[in-house]
Amino acid sequence: MKILMTGFEPFGGETMNPAYEALKLLPENIAGAKIIRLQVPTAFSRCAPAVEEALLACRPDAVICVGQAGGRTCVTVERVAINLADAGLPDNLGAQPVDEPIRADGPAAYFSTLPVRAIVKNIREHGIPCQLSCSAGTYVCNCLMYELLHRSALFYPHIRAGFLHVPFAQEQAVDKPGGTPSASLATIARALELAAEAVVKAPRDDLQEKKGLIC
Ligand code: PCA
């Protein structure tokens, strides 16, 4: 089994993105699965093509995309991506869509095809806080999740795909107001490792297949 794990470039004035920094700490092999890492541009127009290029080159069985959600208190597993781009700040190429559909002809939303509950359970059972999330936001992460699920629904239905958000790394919180939530890169990396392990071990019984929940 092969798992493609992606993390974004730094954005919004940050000098690091904990998503990709944590991925760099992961082993090459998790629970027997080969891990392929990819850094993705934090740009609405570039993120999905970059991941699709890697899909075609690596032919993974699953894709776990990861992004920074500054302000969140723990690792969160996203359940749904929505067909909306609404950026509170410009992306790394200066694009700042407002109230735009990601795909004018696309459905309103896609559910993650990763075993989201099994991921949360595995991370929590190893002593790391983790929660399900019902919103990946409306910025570049949601765009990548939506585009990935759209493309996989149409062209790569055998690939399980979804998204995790991670909090700021401790290094990023040093210069922010007291109380800004953060986690160590080692903890974030361990959570991502446990997420990959859950994907390897969980049977393929995701929401879409069980309940036909493609909206
Ligand atoms: N987080 C942003 C985009 C890139 C990233 O790591 C987001 O949540 O949309």
Side-chain angles (χ1 to χ4, degrees), residues 70-127:
R72 287 202 188 170
T73 56
C74 67
V75 173
T76 49
V77 183
E78 301 297 347
R79 305 183 81 150
V80 63
I82 61 172
N83 191 4
L84 176 65
D86 190 43
L89 75 163
D91 71 14
N92 286 357
L93 291 178
Q96 192 169 9
V98 174
D99 293 346
E100 286 180 20
I102 294 167
R103 289 202 168 242
D105 58 348
Y110 283 101
F111 286 100
S112 173
T113 52
L114 295 177
V116 292
R117 283 200 182 275
I119 293 172
V120 171
K121 184 166 180 279
N122 200 33
I123 294 172
R124 292 171 70 125
E125 279 178 359
H126 287 81

Side-chain angles (χ1 to χ4, degrees), residues 127-202:
I128 300 173
C130 180
Q131 291 175 355
L132 280 174
S133 162
C134 287
S135 175
T138 55
Y139 194 50
V140 180
C141 290
N142 174 70
C143 176
L144 176 59
M145 184 178 172
Y146 183 91
E147 283 283 2
L148 178 60
L149 289 167
H150 183 75
R151 288 162 203 233
S152 65
L154 291 179
F155 307 119
Y156 319 106
H158 56 287
I159 297 180
R160 312 182 84 178
F163 204 98
L164 273 72
H165 266 118
V166 301
F168 282 133
Q170 281 171 339
E171 296 88 326
Q172 293 173 284
V174 170
D175 295 325
K176 294 190 170 57
T180 299
S182 65
S184 74
L185 280 176
T187 298
I188 295 171
R190 179 71 179 134
L192 298 179
E193 182 179 357
L194 292 163
E197 184 184 275
V199 170
V200 175
K201 293 186 176 166

Side-chain angles (χ1 to χ4, degrees), residues 35-97:
I35 303 301
I36 302 147
R37 276 167 277 244
L38 176 73
Q39 190 176 31
V40 177
T42 304
F44 283 95
S45 62
R46 295 295 315 137
C47 58
V51 174
E52 190 165 28
E53 198 177 304
L55 283 189
L56 295 171
C58 314
R59 307 263 167 202
D61 302 284
V63 186
I64 304 173
C65 298
V66 189
Q68 165 193 304
R72 287 202 188 170
T73 56
C74 67
V75 173
T76 49
V77 183
E78 301 297 347
R79 305 183 81 150
V80 63
I82 61 172
N83 191 4
L84 176 65
D86 190 43
L89 75 163
D91 71 14
N92 286 357
L93 291 178
Q96 192 169 9

Side-chain angles (χ1 to χ4, degrees), residues 8-47:
F8 281 98
E9 293 170 339
F11 68 101
E14 297 292 329
T15 54
M16 65 180 289
N17 190 318
Y20 191 66
E21 292 306 316
L23 288 183
K24 288 201 268 184
L25 302 177
L26 292 187
E28 302 285 312
N29 189 294
I30 297 174
K34 180 175 162 51
I35 303 301
I36 302 147
R37 276 167 277 244
L38 176 73
Q39 190 176 31
V40 177
T42 304
F44 283 95
S45 62
R46 295 295 315 137
C47 58

